[in-house]
Amino acid sequence: MYQFFSPSVQHTLDLVGIFVFAISGALLAVRKNFDVFGIAVLAEVTALGGGLFRDLIIGAVPPAAFTDLGYFVTPLLAALLVFFLHPHVERIQTGVNVFDAAGLGLFCVAGTTKAYDYGLGLTQSAALGLATAVGGGVLRDVLANEVPSLLRWDRDLYAVPAMVGATMVVVCIRYDALTPTASALAAVTAFVLRLLAMRYHWRAPRAWNRRSTVREE
């Protein structure tokens, strides 16, 4: 498998990304007034959903979430932290968003390379890399009975940075240029694009000459 960090560093970064994604899920659960079980479920789903989907699609079973205890326990620790300290966590939301962007960049690259390593084509690998990065957030919103942020026009770009990162990876694979430096550059590019989208509120365009009478929410 293409890896741009050593296995131990990669594992640590995976856990950091999982932890931050889990915090975003747990915070939404608190805002929805879920009980402690609901908070834990939303944290787990947000953190692990994208990776589970990827592993099941490519046949990497049992998924890493069920073979590495750290992957399963880390979201529970995040849920516990939010359960007791959610007012303080809310106050550092900007910092959480920065780490979330880092996780997005890391997971879109790792997901793409793992999918390709298991025999998928370039386009399919990029699509699965995107799913790895954003899948947990989609499941989180669905379970919380919200329109997924991925589909809302009034949210800053999220999927697009992941798409750019995944595309950079498959282009490098196509031309046999996927080095540790190129992989890291793809992850950093997705990370920076997400930060810029949050800073300048970049959003995807809606339908051309839109004349809809549907009430905007």
Side-chain angles (χ1 to χ4, degrees):
M1 183 183 300
Y2 297 98
Q3 286 190 314
F4 49 96
F5 296 113
S6 68
S8 60
V9 173
Q10 180 74 45
H11 186 258
T12 300
L13 291 173
D14 282 347
L15 292 181
V16 171
I18 286 171
F19 183 79
V20 176
F21 284 164
I23 285 179
S24 72
L27 284 174
L28 179 59
V30 171
R31 297 185 194 116
K32 288 285 185 175
N33 204 30
F34 287 5
D35 63 15
V36 63
F37 181 75
I39 294 172
V41 168
L42 224 57
E44 290 280 358
V45 166
T46 307
L48 304 177
L52 281 172
F53 177 77
R54 176 203 62 211
D55 289 349
L56 291 174
I57 291 294
I58 65 179
V61 292
F66 291 97
T67 58
D68 189 319
L69 186 61
Y71 282 26
F72 185 78
V73 171
T74 299
L76 295 180
L77 294 176
L80 191 65
L81 176 69
V82 171
F83 181 78
F84 287 108
L85 300 174
H86 61 88
H88 303 289
V89 176
E90 289 274 15
R91 282 198 290 270
I92 60 169
Q93 185 65 55
T94 299
V96 171
N97 288 339
V98 170
F99 282 105
D100 181 88
L104 182 81
L106 175 66
F107 285 4
C108 74
V109 171
T112 302
T113 55
K114 186 171 184 178
Y116 184 78
D117 190 60
Y118 273 78
L120 268 65
L122 295 177
T123 301
Q124 295 87 343
S125 295
L128 211 49
L130 171 63
T132 303
V134 305
V138 171
L139 291 174
R140 172 201 65 206
D141 293 341
V142 169
L143 288 177
N145 197 30
E146 289 199 345
V147 176
S149 298
L150 189 69
L151 305 178
R152 294 186 57 169
W153 72 270
D154 59 341
R155 298 297 173 88
D156 302 333
L157 292 179
Y158 194 80
V160 171
M163 290 173 61
V164 171
T167 300
M168 289 177 65
V169 172
V170 296
V171 169
C172 288
I173 293 175
R174 172 65 179 80
Y175 293 101
D176 197 26
L178 188 64
T179 63
T181 300
S183 298
L185 179 61
V188 170
T189 299
F191 170 63
V192 172
L193 283 176
R194 173 58 180 160
L195 290 183
L196 290 173
M198 290 189 295
R199 173 65 178 82
Y200 296 106
H201 302 297
W202 291 347
R203 292 166 184 169
R206 290 187 283 175
W208 184 257
N209 288 332
R210 178 176 177 270
R211 295 288 190 274
S212 174
T213 59
V214 176
R215 181 175 62 87
E216 296 181 352
E217 298 179 355

